[in-house]
Amino acid sequence: MLAPSLRRAAAAHAGAPAATAARVRFAPSPTGYLHVGGLRTALFNFLLARHTNGACVLRIEDTDQSRLVPGAADALQHALAWAGITFDEGPLQGGAYGPYVQSERLGIYRTYAERLLRAGRAYRDFRPPTQRAVGARASALMREAYLPPGEDEAQERIARGEPFVVRLRMEPDRTFAYDDAVYGRMTFRPDVIGGVGDDPIIVKSDGWPTYHLASVVDDTEMAITHVLRGEEWLPSMPKHLALYEALDVSPPAFVHLPLLINADGSKLSKRSGDVRVDDYRAKHIEPEALVNLVALTGYNHQHADADDAEVLTMAQLIEQFDLARISHSRATLPTDKLPFLNRRHLAAKVHDARTRPAMLARLRPLFRTALGEAADGASDDALLDAAALAAQRVDTLEQVPASVAYLFASPDWGSDECRRFRRSVPTPAFGT
């Protein structure tokens, strides 16, 4: 019989609503900018939480200290806030399950590692790194030849300062299976996924946990019900399922999202175009338009009005969200739709009474820079009406003033253009 969390995943895959409010987490590593693929993962987590009246948690996974980029954690949070993705718990919001930065949770990971050691589900490996074989078959043979020291000997060696890692004890011939909310029944045999027969390191020689231990512990401690993450984590599932089993806790429902890729099938990268959220911000794309574009990618939207099927607000995305509609296939970001979506969202924000004040605050300096004194005397309504007119044909808000400059200045009748125009207009015959 499936564990309760896996039954929930199977129900979600069949299109049934979640039985309870979902607790989800977005857990980026502060190693650089927010990628559009990361934005989609954060968005889908957010939509599931809001659709089920659940909770969305932000967790910063910084256990790989060698790859940290100064300021990246703050930049990630600013980019997410710009996109309209909010969190109920996190480093800034706090919450009952904190701290929400992994480097502040080392004591929790040590407690869980000791629990696994006492239960015989993990062991200390004192071999130097050069003797730790690489590859599933080689490491399985080395594991069989290695006899971990008993607790007394281990403590003596620790007291002498000998370095060691902690490994999870895996069953070499074990097959793991679970029900993924996107891919359905997934089975991992020892001979098909590299590392299944290996004993993975869960605590490094510096005392820091690996991703596998920290992620499982945090999802357990934070009562996460659904894990939505990229498909690149599928090969790690046997290790994670083994950890949940060793800790005697039920795993959450797993939802692996197909990757965003280039048109040629290669991994999405900077060489193929804009991949950072900040790239789109720099091009003056509205956050609603980028979120709309990302939500269209790898997801089957069903909308009653065919004319507006691709133009969706955050409220509509939340209302319609269904795990069963996530595509099984990798997808390419349809950036050719972005100008159209940006125009539509610009027009909506200019016309909406709730967003018009904020749009006016953005428009005033743009008109002043483009038109100078000609725009200073214009009323608020005049600027907004001009923006509403321009929004039908411009791609970004920054293009609005130039496109409607003629509304704020009288024409120069003495200009060459006006003289040519007047000469081209025939003089009406008398009496007609």
Side-chain angles (χ1 to χ4, degrees):
M1 180 178 291
L2 294 177
S5 58
L6 296 185
R7 287 201 298 272
R8 287 195 298 272
H13 181 64
T20 57
R23 275 186 61 84
V24 301
R25 49 73 163 178
F26 178 58
S29 297
T31 56
Y33 54 81
L34 180 62
H35 189 281
V36 288
L39 176 62
R40 186 180 67 154
T41 300
L43 175 64
F44 283 8
N45 274 282
F46 172 80
L47 296 178
L48 178 61
R50 296 294 175 261
H51 180 77
T52 61
N53 294 315
C56 193
V57 177
L58 177 66
R59 185 171 76 223
I60 302 299
E61 298 194 337
D62 62 345
T63 56
D64 190 349
Q65 295 282 296
S66 64
R67 299 178 60 231
L68 298 188
V69 173
D74 288 340
L76 285 166
Q77 293 178 80
H78 290 152
L80 291 165
W82 172 82
I85 297 175
T86 59
F87 296 92
D88 304 291
E89 303 169 29
L92 297 178
Q93 300 85 353
Y97 297 88
Y100 295 92
V101 179
Q102 286 188 333
S103 59
E104 300 173 11
R105 300 173 61 83
L106 298 183
I108 298 173
Y109 307 134
R110 281 194 291 269
T111 298
Y112 273 81
E114 289 294 333
R115 175 176 161 184
L116 292 169
L117 287 166
R118 288 194 304 270
R121 303 304 297 264
Y123 60 92
R124 298 181 182 89
D125 186 347
F126 285 88
R127 290 173 295 176
T130 54
Q131 294 182 19
R132 298 176 198 151
V134 177
R137 170 180 285 184
S139 61
L141 293 173
M142 289 295 291
R143 177 196 58 200
E144 292 175 3
Y146 180 69
L147 293 176
E151 186 62 21
D152 291 342
E153 180 187 348
Q155 292 302 325
E156 291 176 4
R157 298 177 71 170
I158 293 172
R160 291 197 297 267
E162 291 188 39
F164 66 92
V165 298
V166 177
R167 292 182 181 272
L168 179 68
R169 196 183 298 276
M170 298 283 285
E171 299 177 33
D173 299 323
R174 175 70 182 277
T175 294
F176 289 91
Y178 83 103
D179 291 284
D180 193 278
V182 172
Y183 292 98
R185 187 69 173 176
M186 300 289 290
T187 302
F188 300 88
R189 300 192 311 273
D191 60 330
V192 294
I193 298 294
V196 171
D198 190 11
D199 288 344
I201 295 174
I202 57 175
V203 179
K204 296 174 285 188
S205 59
D206 60 5
W208 284 67
T210 61
Y211 169 82
H212 307 299
L213 178 65
S215 176
V216 167
V217 167
D218 287 345
D219 288 342
T220 299
E221 287 281 308
M222 295 179 182
I224 300 301
T225 64
H226 295 71
V227 172
L228 281 70
R229 62 187 182 185
E231 66 168 276
E232 66 270 24
W233 292 111
L234 275 171
S236 298
M237 279 303 300
K239 300 180 180 72
H240 296 180
L241 293 173
L243 272 166
Y244 281 111
E245 184 178 273
L247 293 170
D248 194 27
V249 294
S250 296
F254 284 96
V255 186
H256 286 94
L257 307 175
L259 296 177
L260 297 183
I261 56 174
N262 297 319
D264 62 2
S266 61
K267 183 179 179 181
L268 200 63
S269 66
K270 182 65 177 175
R271 292 189 301 274
S272 61
D274 297 323
V275 297
R276 302 184 304 178
V277 170
D278 285 345
D279 292 334
Y280 294 94
R281 294 182 67 180
K283 291 185 175 182
H284 310 296
I285 298 299
E286 299 299 307
E288 296 85 356
L290 183 59
V291 165
N292 192 160
L293 182 75
V294 169
L296 292 174
T297 309
Y299 186 92
N300 177 31
H301 287 280
Q302 298 176 7
H303 197 278
D305 187 350
D307 293 336
D308 288 332
E310 293 184 327
V311 182
L312 298 163
T313 65
M314 187 71 87
Q316 289 172 316
L317 293 173
I318 291 170
E319 179 184 2
Q320 298 176 17
F321 190 71
D322 186 342
L323 292 176
R325 293 185 183 177
I326 298 174
S327 171
H328 297 189
S329 303
R330 296 178 177 183
T332 302
L333 199 67
T335 52
D336 58 315
K337 296 179 180 179
L338 196 52
F340 162 74
L341 292 174
N342 210 53
R343 286 193 295 271
R344 294 299 299 271
H345 284 284
L346 265 178
K349 291 164 72 173
V350 169
H351 286 97
D352 191 331
R354 296 167 298 181
T355 52
R356 281 168 69 91
M359 296 300 286
L360 180 65
R362 294 171 61 190
L363 283 165
R364 276 283 178 196
L366 293 176
F367 270 100
R368 188 172 297 113
T369 299
L371 306 180
E373 295 180 359
D376 287 344
S379 67
D380 293 348
D381 287 341
L383 290 185
L384 288 167
D385 288 344
L389 177 66
Q392 301 174 29
R393 58 181 183 271
V394 300
D395 291 340
T396 68
L397 192 69
E398 280 62 27
Q399 297 171 355
V400 165
S403 70
V404 291
Y406 62 89
L407 296 175
F408 296 88
S410 299
D412 179 5
W413 295 110
S415 67
D416 292 340
E417 291 81 0
C418 283
R419 282 197 292 270
R420 284 196 297 271
F421 173 74
R422 295 174 69 180
R423 284 196 298 269
S424 68
V425 178
T427 303
F430 180 77
T432 61

